[in-house]
Amino acid sequence: MLIFPSAKINIGLNVVKRRADGYHDLETIFYPIQLCDALELVESSEMKFESSGIPIPGNTDQNLCLKAYQLLRNDFDLPNIHIHLLKKIPIGAGLGGGSADAAFFIKLVNQYFKLNLNVEQMQVYCRKLGADCAFFIENKPVYAFAKGDEFENIEIDLSAYHIALLMPNVHVSTAEAYAGVNPKPSSKSLKELIKLPVSDWQQHIYNDFEPHILKAHPIIAKAKKALYQAGALFSLMSGSGASVYGIFDEKADLSGLENEFLVFNDLHA
């Protein structure tokens, strides 16, 4: 049985304050895009995980899909399975690929084994795996707050636009991203700012990680500049980076950028 976990972009990201538990309170807009991995589940005599496509760093035993399955096995009598992940969403990009894999896998297991878990129950499992993981259960645009794991539905539709994404060959760690941020409440909520025309977002919607990350990694700043030069109405680094997206009125001409970046053009919600 197959499922296709999709990525997300952040439309704005404000780091509001540091929490007592070591996390940070945020506000952001999560918006899903059609850049997808593929996950396959097959019943098997032994528990097995394998992947292809983009190499996944670290120990295979620590993959979030396996962790998600173990959480479910703690509560349900589930058999051994063979999991295959075809990785297409860039890693360390701020696109939520690992979280998407885990959340979509929970949905896949729920469907395949008829566990009858509802949205809220699946989100409870997801919150044990990552701050943005629960978003991918419903996988629709939301205003996210607290650790990025509490949501409010919002009205935003970018289907009339074209979204392009550039991924430079650089890694930004979460620790690096937060080290350069001075948390502060935002003067106006993103829930209000996204009601502005997309062409006005550049003057009002920001990512608090961008100033120091773009300074430390000029190639990310170059990606953002390239998207604006190609005619983007709005461009922003997604999450803590390193990917940068642009929103265009029409399909962008990004020819010539493939030597420096992974280029994903004309993505849709």
Side-chain angles (χ1 to χ4, degrees):
M1 192 169 185
L2 278 168
I3 200 166
F4 299 94
S6 59
K8 58 81 182 164
I9 55 174
N10 295 74
I11 302 175
L13 197 162
N14 303 322
V15 183
V16 178
K17 69 176 181 180
R18 185 173 175 84
R19 298 160 54 104
D21 60 10
Y23 287 91
H24 289 76
D25 278 338
L26 314 171
E27 71 156 352
T28 188
I29 305 294
F30 288 142
Y31 196 89
I33 56 172
Q34 284 304 309
L35 172 57
C36 299
D37 291 339
L39 263 172
E40 183 182 35
L41 179 161
V42 178
E43 289 191 58
S44 175
S45 59
E46 62 176 349
M47 196 69 203
K48 185 178 180 182
F49 173 89
E50 62 180 8
S51 66
S52 57
I54 298 172
I56 301 174
N59 190 332
T60 299
D61 294 342
Q62 297 302 306
N63 186 270
L64 285 177
C65 293
L66 282 174
K67 290 185 175 182
Y69 198 61
Q70 187 54 55
L71 286 176
L72 292 168
R73 284 185 113 172
N74 291 340
D75 296 332
F76 297 94
D77 182 19
L78 296 172
N80 288 334
I81 57 170
H82 179 187
I83 307 166
H84 185 268
L85 170 62
L86 174 60
K87 194 69 185 159
K88 293 288 189 181
I89 301 171
I91 295 166
L95 300 172
S99 294
D101 292 338
F104 274 77
F105 186 66
I106 287 171
K107 291 193 283 188
L108 179 63
V109 172
N110 184 50
Q111 182 181 356
Y112 184 87
F113 292 110
K114 297 178 174 58
L115 303 183
N116 297 315
L117 295 169
N118 61 31
V119 166
E120 291 76 16
Q121 289 170 318
M122 287 189 285
Q123 287 179 338
V124 168
Y125 287 107
C126 284
R127 288 188 175 96
K128 298 176 182 178
L129 297 167
D132 59 356
C133 190
F135 159 74
F136 292 99
I137 295 297
E138 292 193 285
N139 202 42
K140 63 183 182 181
V142 295
Y143 170 77
F145 58 99
K147 292 188 293 185
D149 62 351
E150 300 292 337
F151 314 118
E152 289 180 20
N153 292 327
I154 54 167
E155 293 297 323
I156 177 173
D157 181 5
L158 298 178
S159 60
Y161 297 92
H162 299 259
I163 298 173
L165 188 80
L166 298 180
M167 177 64 187
N169 185 23
V170 64
H171 176 74
V172 179
S173 70
T174 304
E176 178 186 2
Y178 279 100
V181 168
N182 178 28
K184 62 185 183 302
S186 49
S187 57
K188 194 164 186 179
S189 173
L190 283 169
K191 289 186 289 184
E192 298 302 315
L193 294 174
I194 61 161
K195 296 176 183 177
L196 296 169
V198 173
S199 56
D200 290 347
W201 286 1
Q202 185 180 355
Q203 286 75 44
H204 300 280
I205 295 178
Y206 306 99
N207 180 336
D208 282 349
F209 293 130
E210 262 200 3
H212 67 284
I213 293 298
L214 267 58
K215 186 176 181 180
H217 301 282
I219 189 68
I220 303 177
K222 187 175 183 180
K224 184 171 181 175
K225 183 178 180 181
L227 289 167
Y228 274 125
Q229 287 177 335
L233 300 173
F234 178 70
S235 177
L236 202 69
M237 188 175 75
S238 187
S240 57
S243 72
V244 182
Y245 65 88
I247 301 174
F248 296 80
D249 268 333
E250 56 190 32
K251 184 177 179 179
D253 179 6
L254 302 177
S255 56
L257 295 176
E258 295 87 352
N259 292 332
E260 290 187 278
F261 309 101
L262 285 176
V263 178
F264 302 90
N265 205 351
D266 212 20
L267 301 170
H268 291 281

